[in-house]
Amino acid sequence: MSLDLLIKNAKVFTHAGPFEGDIGVKHGKIVKISGDIQEQADKTVNLSGKYVVPGLVDGHTHMEFPFMGEVTADDFYHGTRAAVAGGVTTIVDFITPAPGQDLMTAYKQWREKADAKVMSDYGLHMIIREINPIILEQIPEVIRNGVVSFKLFMAYKNELMLLDGQLYQLIKKISDNGGVVGIHAENGEIIYELIQQFLSEGKADPVYHYYSRPDILEIEATNRIASIASMIGKNVKMYIVHTSTGEAVDIMSEYRKKGLKFYNETTPHYLVLNTDYLTRPDGYRYIMSPPLRSDEQRTKLWYRLASGDIFTVGSDHCVYNDAQKKRYKEKVPPFHEIPNGVPGVETILPLLFGLGVKKDIISMERFVEVTSYNPAKLFGLYPKKGAILPGSDADFAVIDPNRKVRISPDLLHSNINYTIYDGLEVEGWNVMTIRRGEIVYEEGQVLGKKGSGMYIPGKLPVLV
Ligand SMILES: [Zn+2]
């Protein structure tokens, strides 16, 4: 058999440990893994000295996302271009139905938006923002179309927030159909009160975004939703998206010890940045929800990442340019008017590798688990994605483990002119990305074609 692509002399890391050798690729799939492959290949790449990991699966992106009166600056083209440059070969993006819109219409819209533009492969989650008979009836159909995970909000009152009774009904319905529930866990009612209070006192600077969303409101909401979901039964598969406190991780871990499939996702910005960034002149760029926290919380998250208590790392890539962030005003607007969201899809790899693996906080096995293996399992994409096994898609990120890089916007590919990690120094950088056997990024050059990514439907059961 002649191969399409032969990867030679790679140091390969999977969730199960490292091995050295060659990988043969045919028709976009891994067909052979061995110490020394001698077969003919159309293309051979020698990766000695480099680390090869499964292409990252970023389970949390918002491309072309309509929110807070703006649409995010990265559409599916720019966003997935940035993704492949960062070693991410699959994103899982959030379908966000408009108020009153049914789920299947929104699903079709998102497929239409994404299919023509994506460079990485992609899956989809479904946000549910309201409850009515049509929405409940469509949940099984949505799942049959490969959207096996859902996101429900306990915050953003009057926009996306659901009440406890609605959350209960939806978790039950989704779980009865085998789906996964993602929760934005913050107490939206109290946040709403705190925002009104600060505004009435003339406290409108970006740092009040943090004071209006204190740690305890994530911890309370996590505790509440975990209690509610635990009543529903053992068939619930639930994770807290973008967890920002160690305590919220511990709540889910306690339930997991009792046999429930409860997990946490965190994001790189909660591991790397702290609340001080909100006090800078460009503090408006650092507004996302939940907000950046203390160094003490950052440390707690790193420990829980290392221990395995945090299950996945997603970027929550949700990009607004400066004009959008400032609502087209000269001055920074009051904190509650600033669109929530930060870039991140392209920097998961260097941040977790450089600040986690290289600093001996997490192992390479953990790196692979949280960036590809676990999200692929959670969203029904495994073993097509998140694995280096015969039959899996030939998706790889290639890391130069010794490359020292100072992060700056000119190295990155998002449709904005800043990065929240400007000036940060890391060791280790993605130098090549292979998606279904095709080199889509190499040494600063994006080589993939617009629209060459594919929709990857999630399959039930998840977490097998
Ligand atoms: Zn999000």
Side-chain angles (χ1 to χ4, degrees):
M1 174 177 60
S2 91
L3 300 165
D4 296 336
L5 176 70
L6 175 57
I7 295 170
K8 293 290 286 181
N9 307 313
K11 181 146 187 163
V12 182
F13 291 88
T14 72
H15 73 282
F19 65 88
E20 268 174 73
D22 301 348
I23 302 172
V25 175
K26 182 100 183 160
H27 301 316
K29 295 197 177 295
I30 298 169
V31 290
K32 197 166 184 185
I33 300 170
S34 145
D36 183 23
I37 299 175
Q38 288 299 340
E39 276 151 83
Q40 286 297 310
D42 291 348
K43 189 174 173 65
T44 301
V45 284
N46 187 336
L47 295 181
S48 77
K50 306 291 193 298
Y51 289 2
V52 174
V53 295
L56 275 62
V57 177
D58 182 353
H60 196 147
T61 68
H62 300 275
M63 311 303 178
E64 295 186 56
F65 174 45
F67 187 53
M68 293 181 77
E70 298 289 339
V71 177
T72 50
D74 270 348
D75 64 6
F76 278 94
Y77 171 63
H78 288 98
T80 56
R81 201 167 167 267
V84 301
V88 173
T89 49
T90 309
I91 61 165
V92 192
D93 201 82
F94 289 92
I95 303 167
T96 311
Q101 192 178 41
D102 71 285
L103 307 183
M104 282 308 295
T105 305
Y107 162 78
K108 284 169 197 150
Q109 262 182 11
W110 246 255
R111 288 292 311 273
E112 244 165 63
K113 284 205 275 192
D115 281 335
K117 297 184 199 141
V118 281
M119 192 177 296
S120 69
D121 286 347
Y122 78 105
L124 292 167
H125 311 281
M126 179 66 76
I127 285 174
I128 299 184
R129 69 193 304 161
E130 60 199 326
I131 190 163
N132 61 46
I134 297 166
I135 284 175
L136 287 169
E137 191 189 293
Q138 285 187 344
I139 286 172
E141 192 183 351
V142 166
I143 290 175
R144 279 198 301 278
N145 280 278
V147 183
V148 299
S149 64
F150 295 78
K151 184 174 176 187
L152 313 176
F153 288 79
M154 301 172 79
Y156 299 121
K157 180 172 170 170
N158 302 327
E159 191 146 15
L160 294 165
M161 187 176 91
L162 295 164
L163 303 174
D164 290 352
Q166 299 172 317
L167 291 163
Y168 172 81
Q169 277 190 70
L170 287 168
I171 294 170
K172 194 165 173 359
K173 181 79 182 180
I174 293 164
S175 302
D176 284 349
N177 287 281
V180 177
V181 183
I183 298 283
H184 179 129
E186 284 188 296
N187 185 319
E189 285 286 353
I190 308 296
I191 289 166
Y192 183 83
E193 292 307 319
L194 291 176
I195 292 172
Q196 309 312 313
Q197 187 190 314
F198 286 128
L199 293 176
S200 73
E201 294 166 0
K203 295 169 175 169
D205 290 344
V207 74
Y208 286 97
H209 178 71
Y210 166 71
Y211 291 120
S212 70
R213 312 178 90 100
D215 300 18
I216 190 70
L217 296 185
E218 176 179 274
I219 298 163
E220 184 278 330
T222 302
N223 206 9
R224 175 158 40 104
I225 201 65
S227 309
I228 293 168
S230 73
M231 282 168 50
I232 294 170
K234 298 245 172 190
N235 66 341
V236 177
K237 294 168 192 131
M238 187 172 81
Y239 75 108
I240 305 296
V241 300
H242 52 48
T243 310
S244 64
T245 62
E247 291 85 344
V249 177
D250 295 343
I251 290 164
M252 299 301 269
S253 296
E254 282 307 312
Y255 279 102
R256 201 163 53 251
K257 281 179 202 147
K258 293 177 197 162
L260 290 160
K261 291 192 171 66
F262 284 13
Y263 303 93
N264 296 83
E265 169 197 72
T266 193
T267 71
H269 44 264
Y270 300 126
L271 292 162
V272 176
L273 307 175
N274 64 22
T275 318
D276 294 346
Y277 283 85
L278 288 167
T279 64
R280 297 169 22 148
D282 63 348
Y284 60 90
R285 289 173 173 165
Y286 295 82
I287 287 193
M288 84 294 283
S289 294
L292 295 173
R293 307 258 182 226
S294 62
D295 283 336
E296 190 191 338
Q297 284 296 2
R298 284 199 315 118
T299 308
K300 286 182 189 174
L301 292 177
W302 276 115
Y303 273 115
R304 284 154 181 78
L305 193 66
S307 67
D309 284 291
I310 291 174
F311 195 63
T312 65
V313 174
S315 68
D316 201 359
H317 185 84
C318 184
V319 173
Y320 299 97
N321 61 36
D322 269 340
Q324 292 179 306
K325 278 278 192 187
K326 292 165 90 168
R327 304 313 281 255
Y328 311 96
K329 288 174 190 154
E330 198 62 28
K331 273 180 58 184
V332 176
F335 70 90
H336 71 297
E337 291 179 13
I338 299 171
N340 284 211
V342 292
V345 71
E346 196 171 353
T347 42
I348 301 171
L349 184 153
L351 294 172
L352 283 196
F353 185 83
L355 306 178
V357 176
K358 274 282 176 168
K359 303 224 183 266
D360 284 328
I361 299 172
I362 59 169
S363 64
M364 274 309 283
E365 288 75 21
R366 290 290 305 140
F367 174 91
V368 171
E369 269 186 357
V370 297
T371 59
S372 61
Y373 178 70
N374 285 346
K377 283 177 46 165
L378 186 59
F379 305 127
L381 306 171
Y382 185 85
K384 185 175 174 63
K385 303 294 185 187
I388 297 181
L389 293 170
S392 297
D393 282 357
D395 293 347
F396 311 103
V398 180
I399 304 170
D400 179 340
N402 302 315
R403 176 94 45 107
K404 289 200 173 85
V405 175
R406 177 189 279 263
I407 298 176
S408 70
D410 54 292
L411 295 176
L412 303 176
H413 296 79
S414 263
N415 195 21
I416 51 168
N417 62 3
Y418 68 90
T419 163
I420 57 171
Y421 303 107
D422 207 345
L424 196 81
E425 290 186 24
V426 288
E427 192 175 353
W429 195 254
N430 181 58
V431 293
M432 184 188 286
T433 307
I434 299 170
R435 186 223 56 212
R436 281 182 281 106
E438 183 187 338
I439 298 172
V440 287
Y441 171 84
E442 188 174 7
E443 287 291 1
Q445 300 298 314
V446 178
L447 306 169
K449 294 273 176 302
K450 187 177 178 177
S452 63
M454 278 173 63
Y455 175 59
I456 311 292
K459 288 204 173 89
L460 295 183
V462 299
L463 289 168
V464 288

